[in-house]
Amino acid sequence: MKQLFLFLSMISMLFIVSACNSAPSAENEVKVMRLANATPDDRSLSKALYMFEEQLEKETDGSIDVEVYTNSVIGGDRLIFEGMQLNTIQGASMSTGPIAQFADTFNVFELPFLFTNEEEAHQVLDGEVGERLLAELDNQNVVGLNYWENGFRMLSNNVREIKTVDDVKGIDIRTLENEWHMELWRELGANPTPMNYGELYIGLEQGTVDAQENPVGNVVNSHFYEVQDNLTVTNHIYNASPFMVSKPFWESLTEDEQKAVKKVADKVQQEQRKMNQQEVEDSFAFVEAKGMTVTELSEEELERFREATRPVRERFIEKYGDEWLRQIEAETD
Protein backbone atom coordinates (compact mmCIF):
# COMPACT_ATOMS: atom_id res chain seq x y z
CA MET A 1 0.00 0.00 0.00
CA LYS A 2 2.83 2.32 0.91
CA GLN A 3 4.56 1.56 -2.42
CA LEU A 4 1.33 2.31 -4.32
CA PHE A 5 1.04 5.63 -2.53
CA LEU A 6 4.64 6.56 -3.45
CA PHE A 7 4.05 5.55 -7.07
CA LEU A 8 0.90 7.68 -7.33
CA SER A 9 2.70 10.59 -5.72
CA MET A 10 5.53 10.40 -8.26
CA ILE A 11 3.02 10.31 -11.15
CA SER A 12 1.27 13.38 -9.74
CA MET A 13 4.58 15.25 -9.47
CA LEU A 14 5.44 14.42 -13.08
CA PHE A 15 2.10 15.85 -14.24
CA ILE A 16 2.70 19.03 -12.25
CA VAL A 17 6.24 19.50 -13.61
CA SER A 18 5.07 18.78 -17.14
CA ALA A 19 2.26 21.33 -16.84
CA CYS A 20 4.64 23.96 -15.49
CA ASN A 21 7.10 23.38 -18.32
CA SER A 22 4.42 23.58 -21.01
CA ALA A 23 2.79 26.77 -19.69
CA PRO A 24 4.22 29.84 -21.47
CA SER A 25 6.27 32.08 -19.22
CA ALA A 26 6.17 35.84 -19.66
CA GLU A 27 9.69 35.67 -21.09
CA ASN A 28 8.82 33.04 -23.71
CA GLU A 29 5.33 34.30 -24.54
CA VAL A 30 4.69 34.83 -28.24
CA LYS A 31 4.49 38.57 -29.01
CA VAL A 32 1.82 39.77 -31.44
CA MET A 33 2.92 42.44 -33.94
CA ARG A 34 0.02 44.06 -35.79
CA LEU A 35 1.12 45.89 -38.95
CA ALA A 36 -1.20 48.31 -40.76
CA ASN A 37 -1.39 50.72 -43.67
CA ALA A 38 -3.96 52.64 -45.70
CA THR A 39 -2.62 51.32 -49.02
CA PRO A 40 -4.45 49.01 -51.46
CA ASP A 41 -3.51 45.34 -51.25
CA ASP A 42 -1.86 45.23 -54.68
CA ARG A 43 0.60 48.05 -54.03
CA SER A 44 4.22 47.19 -53.33
CA LEU A 45 3.96 48.70 -49.84
CA SER A 46 1.25 46.22 -48.87
CA LYS A 47 3.08 43.30 -50.47
CA ALA A 48 6.13 44.32 -48.44
CA LEU A 49 4.19 44.06 -45.18
CA TYR A 50 3.25 40.48 -46.02
CA MET A 51 6.87 39.79 -46.97
CA PHE A 52 7.94 41.22 -43.61
CA GLU A 53 5.42 38.97 -41.84
CA GLU A 54 6.76 35.81 -43.47
CA GLN A 55 10.44 36.64 -43.00
CA LEU A 56 10.21 37.89 -39.41
CA GLU A 57 8.23 34.89 -38.17
CA LYS A 58 10.89 32.68 -39.73
CA GLU A 59 13.78 34.78 -38.40
CA THR A 60 12.43 34.68 -34.82
CA ASP A 61 11.30 31.03 -34.90
CA GLY A 62 7.76 32.23 -34.21
CA SER A 63 8.50 34.25 -31.07
CA ILE A 64 6.84 37.19 -32.87
CA ASP A 65 3.46 36.54 -34.50
CA VAL A 66 2.82 39.15 -37.21
CA GLU A 67 -0.69 40.16 -38.33
CA VAL A 68 -1.11 42.41 -41.40
CA TYR A 69 -4.01 44.83 -41.98
CA THR A 70 -3.87 46.76 -45.28
CA ASN A 71 -6.18 49.06 -47.26
CA SER A 72 -7.40 51.15 -44.28
CA VAL A 73 -9.06 48.08 -42.70
CA ILE A 74 -8.35 49.45 -39.23
CA GLY A 75 -8.26 53.14 -40.14
CA GLY A 76 -6.44 55.79 -42.12
CA ASP A 77 -2.91 57.08 -41.59
CA ARG A 78 -3.74 59.30 -38.59
CA LEU A 79 -5.50 56.50 -36.71
CA ILE A 80 -2.70 54.08 -37.54
CA PHE A 81 -0.02 56.45 -36.24
CA GLU A 82 -2.01 57.10 -33.07
CA GLY A 83 -2.39 53.32 -32.71
CA MET A 84 1.39 52.97 -32.73
CA GLN A 85 1.68 55.66 -30.06
CA LEU A 86 -0.77 53.68 -27.90
CA ASN A 87 0.73 50.30 -28.87
CA THR A 88 -2.61 49.00 -30.15
CA ILE A 89 -0.82 48.82 -33.52
CA GLN A 90 2.80 47.68 -33.38
CA GLY A 91 4.09 48.71 -36.81
CA ALA A 92 3.27 50.58 -40.00
CA SER A 93 4.59 52.16 -43.15
CA MET A 94 3.08 55.42 -44.37
CA SER A 95 4.05 58.48 -46.38
CA THR A 96 5.91 61.31 -44.69
CA GLY A 97 2.99 63.74 -45.23
CA PRO A 98 0.73 62.20 -42.57
CA ILE A 99 3.73 61.67 -40.26
CA ALA A 100 4.46 65.41 -40.45
CA GLN A 101 1.16 66.06 -38.65
CA PHE A 102 2.84 64.54 -35.58
CA ALA A 103 6.54 65.27 -36.15
CA ASP A 104 6.72 68.54 -38.10
CA THR A 105 10.40 68.16 -39.06
CA PHE A 106 9.19 65.62 -41.65
CA ASN A 107 7.57 68.50 -43.55
CA VAL A 108 10.89 69.06 -45.30
CA PHE A 109 10.10 65.99 -47.44
CA GLU A 110 6.82 67.62 -48.54
CA LEU A 111 8.54 70.44 -50.39
CA PRO A 112 8.06 70.48 -54.17
CA PHE A 113 10.79 69.18 -56.48
CA LEU A 114 13.15 68.26 -53.64
CA PHE A 115 14.53 65.22 -55.50
CA THR A 116 15.00 64.67 -59.22
CA ASN A 117 15.09 60.85 -59.16
CA GLU A 118 14.83 57.83 -56.85
CA GLU A 119 18.60 57.36 -56.52
CA GLU A 120 19.00 60.89 -55.21
CA ALA A 121 16.17 60.36 -52.71
CA HIS A 122 17.64 57.06 -51.47
CA GLN A 123 21.02 58.70 -50.95
CA VAL A 124 19.51 61.27 -48.59
CA LEU A 125 17.05 58.96 -46.85
CA ASP A 126 19.63 56.24 -46.16
CA GLY A 127 22.22 58.77 -45.03
CA GLU A 128 22.71 61.08 -42.06
CA VAL A 129 19.70 63.31 -42.76
CA GLY A 130 17.34 60.37 -42.99
CA GLU A 131 18.69 58.79 -39.79
CA ARG A 132 18.41 62.03 -37.83
CA LEU A 133 14.84 62.54 -38.95
CA LEU A 134 13.87 59.00 -37.96
CA ALA A 135 15.33 59.72 -34.51
CA GLU A 136 12.81 62.57 -34.17
CA LEU A 137 10.02 59.97 -33.98
CA ASP A 138 11.23 58.91 -30.54
CA ASN A 139 9.41 61.94 -29.12
CA GLN A 140 6.18 60.51 -30.56
CA ASN A 141 6.58 57.13 -28.80
CA VAL A 142 7.50 55.59 -32.17
CA VAL A 143 10.76 54.03 -33.44
CA GLY A 144 11.68 54.72 -37.07
CA LEU A 145 13.66 51.89 -38.67
CA ASN A 146 14.15 52.86 -42.32
CA TYR A 147 12.45 54.28 -45.41
CA TRP A 148 10.37 52.32 -47.87
CA GLU A 149 9.10 53.91 -51.07
CA ASN A 150 5.68 55.20 -52.12
CA GLY A 151 7.17 56.99 -55.11
CA PHE A 152 6.85 60.22 -57.06
CA ARG A 153 3.45 61.89 -57.03
CA MET A 154 1.83 62.75 -60.38
CA LEU A 155 -1.22 64.73 -61.40
CA SER A 156 -4.32 63.17 -62.95
CA ASN A 157 -7.49 65.01 -63.97
CA ASN A 158 -10.59 64.78 -66.15
CA VAL A 159 -10.71 68.42 -67.33
CA ARG A 160 -7.87 68.72 -69.86
CA GLU A 161 -4.41 67.49 -70.72
CA ILE A 162 -1.84 69.27 -68.58
CA LYS A 163 1.09 70.29 -70.78
CA THR A 164 2.10 73.57 -69.12
CA VAL A 165 1.99 75.36 -65.76
CA ASP A 166 -0.89 77.47 -67.05
CA ASP A 167 -3.02 74.37 -67.72
CA VAL A 168 -3.23 73.69 -63.96
CA LYS A 169 -5.08 76.93 -63.19
CA GLY A 170 -8.63 76.65 -61.92
CA ILE A 171 -8.63 72.87 -61.42
CA ASP A 172 -10.18 71.53 -58.20
CA ILE A 173 -7.66 69.01 -56.89
CA ARG A 174 -7.73 66.61 -53.96
CA THR A 175 -4.58 66.78 -51.84
CA LEU A 176 -3.27 65.29 -48.63
CA GLU A 177 -4.10 67.12 -45.42
CA ASN A 178 -0.71 68.84 -45.44
CA GLU A 179 -0.17 72.59 -45.66
CA TRP A 180 2.82 72.36 -48.02
CA HIS A 181 0.93 70.20 -50.51
CA MET A 182 -1.89 72.74 -50.49
CA GLU A 183 0.56 75.64 -50.80
CA LEU A 184 2.11 73.98 -53.86
CA TRP A 185 -1.18 73.79 -55.75
CA ARG A 186 -2.26 77.29 -54.72
CA GLU A 187 0.97 78.66 -56.20
CA LEU A 188 0.09 76.88 -59.46
CA GLY A 189 -3.40 78.42 -59.48
CA ALA A 190 -5.35 75.26 -58.62
CA ASN A 191 -7.93 74.87 -55.85
CA PRO A 192 -6.62 72.26 -53.36
CA THR A 193 -9.14 70.29 -51.29
CA PRO A 194 -8.00 67.85 -48.57
CA MET A 195 -10.00 64.62 -48.69
CA ASN A 196 -9.74 61.19 -47.07
CA TYR A 197 -8.14 58.75 -49.51
CA GLY A 198 -10.95 56.26 -48.99
CA GLU A 199 -13.46 58.85 -50.28
CA LEU A 200 -11.40 59.95 -53.28
CA TYR A 201 -12.77 57.65 -55.97
CA ILE A 202 -16.36 58.73 -55.23
CA GLY A 203 -15.24 62.36 -55.07
CA LEU A 204 -13.74 62.08 -58.56
CA GLU A 205 -16.71 60.14 -59.89
CA GLN A 206 -19.24 62.66 -58.57
CA GLY A 207 -17.19 65.71 -59.59
CA THR A 208 -16.53 66.95 -56.05
CA VAL A 209 -12.96 67.35 -57.29
CA ASP A 210 -11.59 67.33 -60.85
CA ALA A 211 -8.17 65.97 -60.11
CA GLN A 212 -5.90 64.13 -57.70
CA GLU A 213 -2.17 63.57 -57.27
CA ASN A 214 -0.65 60.26 -56.26
CA PRO A 215 1.99 57.78 -57.36
CA VAL A 216 0.87 56.04 -60.56
CA GLY A 217 0.53 52.74 -58.69
CA ASN A 218 -2.40 54.25 -56.77
CA VAL A 219 -4.02 55.36 -60.04
CA VAL A 220 -4.07 51.69 -61.04
CA ASN A 221 -4.92 49.97 -57.78
CA SER A 222 -7.60 52.44 -56.74
CA HIS A 223 -9.09 52.45 -60.28
CA PHE A 224 -8.75 56.21 -60.74
CA TYR A 225 -8.23 55.57 -64.46
CA GLU A 226 -11.96 54.83 -64.62
CA VAL A 227 -12.84 58.41 -63.63
CA GLN A 228 -9.77 60.34 -64.90
CA ASP A 229 -8.79 60.98 -68.51
CA ASN A 230 -5.32 62.50 -68.19
CA LEU A 231 -2.12 61.74 -66.28
CA THR A 232 0.80 64.16 -66.24
CA VAL A 233 4.22 63.01 -65.04
CA THR A 234 4.91 66.02 -62.82
CA ASN A 235 6.98 64.13 -60.19
CA HIS A 236 6.35 67.14 -57.98
CA ILE A 237 6.91 65.35 -54.64
CA TYR A 238 8.81 62.17 -53.84
CA ASN A 239 7.01 60.18 -51.15
CA ALA A 240 9.19 58.14 -48.86
CA SER A 241 7.27 55.75 -46.63
CA PRO A 242 9.07 55.22 -43.31
CA PHE A 243 8.72 51.82 -41.67
CA MET A 244 8.04 52.36 -37.97
CA VAL A 245 7.22 50.37 -34.86
CA SER A 246 5.57 51.30 -31.59
CA LYS A 247 8.20 52.26 -29.01
CA PRO A 248 6.50 50.29 -26.17
CA PHE A 249 6.44 47.22 -28.42
CA TRP A 250 10.09 47.73 -29.42
CA GLU A 251 11.12 47.96 -25.77
CA SER A 252 9.21 44.74 -24.99
CA LEU A 253 11.40 42.80 -27.42
CA THR A 254 14.55 40.95 -26.48
CA GLU A 255 17.83 42.18 -27.95
CA ASP A 256 17.81 39.28 -30.41
CA GLU A 257 14.23 40.07 -31.46
CA GLN A 258 15.11 43.74 -32.03
CA LYS A 259 18.04 42.70 -34.21
CA ALA A 260 15.74 40.37 -36.16
CA VAL A 261 13.14 43.12 -36.75
CA LYS A 262 15.82 45.53 -37.99
CA LYS A 263 17.46 42.87 -40.18
CA VAL A 264 14.18 41.91 -41.84
CA ALA A 265 13.08 45.55 -42.22
CA ASP A 266 16.31 46.32 -44.10
CA LYS A 267 15.96 43.27 -46.36
CA VAL A 268 12.35 44.10 -47.14
CA GLN A 269 13.23 47.74 -47.82
CA GLN A 270 15.49 46.76 -50.71
CA GLU A 271 12.93 44.36 -52.18
CA GLN A 272 10.07 46.82 -51.78
CA ARG A 273 11.93 49.59 -53.62
CA LYS A 274 12.61 47.23 -56.53
CA MET A 275 8.98 46.14 -56.58
CA ASN A 276 7.81 49.74 -56.53
CA GLN A 277 9.94 50.79 -59.49
CA GLN A 278 8.70 47.81 -61.50
CA GLU A 279 5.18 48.74 -60.45
CA VAL A 280 5.65 52.26 -61.86
CA GLU A 281 6.74 50.89 -65.23
CA ASP A 282 3.87 48.41 -65.37
CA SER A 283 1.33 51.02 -64.24
CA PHE A 284 2.14 53.44 -67.05
CA ALA A 285 1.57 50.70 -69.60
CA PHE A 286 -1.67 49.71 -67.87
CA VAL A 287 -3.28 53.17 -67.72
CA GLU A 288 -2.36 53.88 -71.34
CA ALA A 289 -4.01 50.60 -72.34
CA LYS A 290 -7.09 51.75 -70.42
CA GLY A 291 -7.26 54.94 -72.49
CA MET A 292 -5.61 57.55 -70.27
CA THR A 293 -3.49 60.20 -71.96
CA VAL A 294 -0.04 60.16 -70.32
CA THR A 295 1.91 63.39 -70.73
CA GLU A 296 5.64 63.81 -70.16
CA LEU A 297 6.67 67.39 -69.44
CA SER A 298 9.67 68.89 -71.21
CA GLU A 299 12.66 69.88 -69.09
CA GLU A 300 11.87 73.53 -69.85
CA GLU A 301 8.30 73.14 -68.60
CA LEU A 302 9.45 71.26 -65.49
CA GLU A 303 11.72 74.21 -64.73
CA ARG A 304 8.69 76.51 -65.00
CA PHE A 305 6.91 74.32 -62.42
CA ARG A 306 9.94 74.53 -60.13
CA GLU A 307 10.14 78.30 -60.44
CA ALA A 308 6.40 78.74 -59.89
CA THR A 309 6.54 76.75 -56.64
CA ARG A 310 9.73 78.33 -55.26
CA PRO A 311 7.72 80.60 -52.89
CA VAL A 312 6.63 77.42 -51.06
CA ARG A 313 10.25 76.77 -50.08
CA GLU A 314 10.68 80.38 -49.03
CA ARG A 315 7.67 80.21 -46.71
CA PHE A 316 8.93 76.88 -45.32
CA ILE A 317 12.27 78.51 -44.46
CA GLU A 318 10.48 81.42 -42.78
CA LYS A 319 8.60 78.96 -40.57
CA TYR A 320 11.21 76.27 -39.85
CA GLY A 321 14.55 77.71 -40.88
CA ASP A 322 16.80 76.24 -43.57
CA GLU A 323 18.91 73.71 -41.63
CA TRP A 324 17.27 70.54 -42.98
CA LEU A 325 16.87 71.92 -46.48
CA ARG A 326 20.54 72.97 -46.66
CA GLN A 327 21.67 69.50 -45.56
CA ILE A 328 19.51 67.81 -48.15
CA GLU A 329 20.74 70.13 -50.87
CA ALA A 330 24.36 69.48 -49.81
CA GLU A 331 23.81 65.72 -50.16
CA THR A 332 22.17 66.03 -53.59
CA ASP A 333 24.51 68.54 -55.26
Side-chain angles (χ1 to χ4, degrees):
M1 188 71 178
K2 185 176 180 181
Q3 288 178 332
L4 178 61
F5 176 77
L6 289 172
F7 175 75
L8 292 173
S9 297
M10 289 175 62
I11 293 295
S12 297
M13 287 297 295
L14 286 172
F15 273 117
I16 291 169
V17 171
S18 176
C20 289
N21 287 339
S22 62
S25 67
E27 187 176 332
N28 296 323
E29 186 178 356
V30 173
K31 301 177 176 84
V32 176
M33 184 180 191
R34 300 175 191 86
L35 302 180
N37 70 21
T39 309
D41 275 334
D42 290 339
R43 283 294 314 274
S44 61
L45 285 167
S46 293
K47 292 176 181 177
L49 290 185
Y50 289 111
M51 184 184 298
F52 181 91
E53 174 186 26
E54 180 181 355
Q55 293 189 17
L56 184 63
E57 289 180 349
K58 183 177 180 181
E59 188 72 28
T60 61
D61 292 323
S63 74
I64 300 177
D65 177 26
V66 183
E67 300 174 358
V68 177
Y69 302 90
T70 61
N71 202 27
S72 300
V73 167
I74 54 177
D77 289 325
R78 174 178 281 277
L79 285 175
I80 290 171
F81 195 93
E82 290 171 347
M84 283 191 294
Q85 292 177 309
L86 298 170
N87 197 27
T88 56
I89 296 170
Q90 285 70 49
S93 181
M94 68 181 65
S95 292
T96 50
I99 295 171
Q101 298 174 47
F102 299 88
D104 61 11
T105 47
F106 277 82
N107 275 305
V108 70
F109 290 136
E110 308 314 301
L111 292 177
F113 303 104
L114 192 63
F115 302 116
T116 57
N117 54 53
E118 288 89 351
E119 291 75 19
E120 194 173 82
H122 297 167
Q123 179 181 338
V124 171
L125 295 166
D126 299 342
E128 182 183 350
V129 171
E131 286 295 321
R132 286 181 58 206
L133 279 165
L134 287 178
E136 297 279 314
L137 292 171
D138 187 73
N139 296 327
Q140 300 300 320
N141 215 28
V142 170
V143 176
L145 295 180
N146 59 19
Y147 296 88
W148 297 1
E149 180 171 272
N150 195 12
F152 278 104
R153 302 180 79 87
M154 305 171 193
L155 175 63
S156 75
N157 83 97
N158 59 1
V159 177
R160 55 182 168 265
E161 184 180 1
I162 304 297
K163 296 180 179 179
T164 70
V165 170
D166 296 332
D167 292 332
V168 178
K169 292 179 181 177
I171 289 180
D172 297 325
I173 178 171
R174 178 268 180 183
T175 68
L176 289 175
E177 189 181 345
N178 181 280
E179 65 176 305
W180 305 106
H181 284 238
M182 291 187 280
E183 289 275 341
L184 183 165
W185 295 108
R186 288 192 190 104
E187 286 297 330
L188 295 174
N191 306 312
T193 303
M195 182 183 294
N196 185 288
Y197 186 81
E199 301 169 358
L200 180 51
Y201 182 94
I202 294 174
L204 293 168
E205 185 178 40
Q206 295 180 346
T208 306
V209 288
D210 306 316
Q212 66 84 43
E213 45 86 53
N214 261 294
V216 65
N218 281 0
V219 176
V220 171
N221 288 295
S222 292
H223 299 268
F224 296 149
Y225 59 86
E226 295 175 349
V227 288
Q228 299 275 269
D229 298 326
N230 306 289
L231 177 69
T232 303
V233 187
T234 49
N235 288 355
H236 51 278
I237 290 175
Y238 172 86
N239 266 169
S241 192
F243 181 69
M244 305 161 287
V245 297
S246 166
K247 186 176 178 182
F249 173 73
W250 179 257
E251 292 176 343
S252 77
L253 301 178
T254 66
E255 184 177 346
D256 285 344
E257 287 171 336
Q258 289 180 350
K259 288 178 180 177
V261 169
K262 185 68 172 73
K263 176 182 176 181
V264 172
D266 287 342
K267 286 173 64 179
V268 171
Q269 176 203 53
Q270 299 305 313
E271 290 303 313
Q272 188 274 329
R273 285 175 173 177
K274 291 176 187 175
M275 284 194 296
N276 193 69
Q277 285 154 37
Q278 183 62 52
E279 183 179 90
V280 170
E281 185 178 328
D282 295 343
S283 294
F284 279 131
F286 182 89
V287 297
E288 286 185 304
K290 289 293 183 180
M292 286 192 85
T293 299
V294 177
T295 304
E296 295 264 2
L297 297 172
S298 67
E299 185 53 44
E300 292 76 18
E301 201 58 40
L302 274 172
E303 186 57 35
R304 288 188 66 201
F305 272 84
R306 294 187 192 102
E307 284 300 316
T309 57
R310 195 167 296 280
V312 179
R313 287 196 183 199
E314 294 168 0
R315 284 193 287 275
F316 177 89
I317 292 170
E318 288 174 9
K319 185 170 183 176
Y320 294 115
D322 65 351
E323 177 191 359
W324 291 106
L325 191 55
R326 281 191 295 103
Q327 288 189 48
I328 290 172
E329 289 173 341
E331 291 191 16
T332 55
D333 284 343

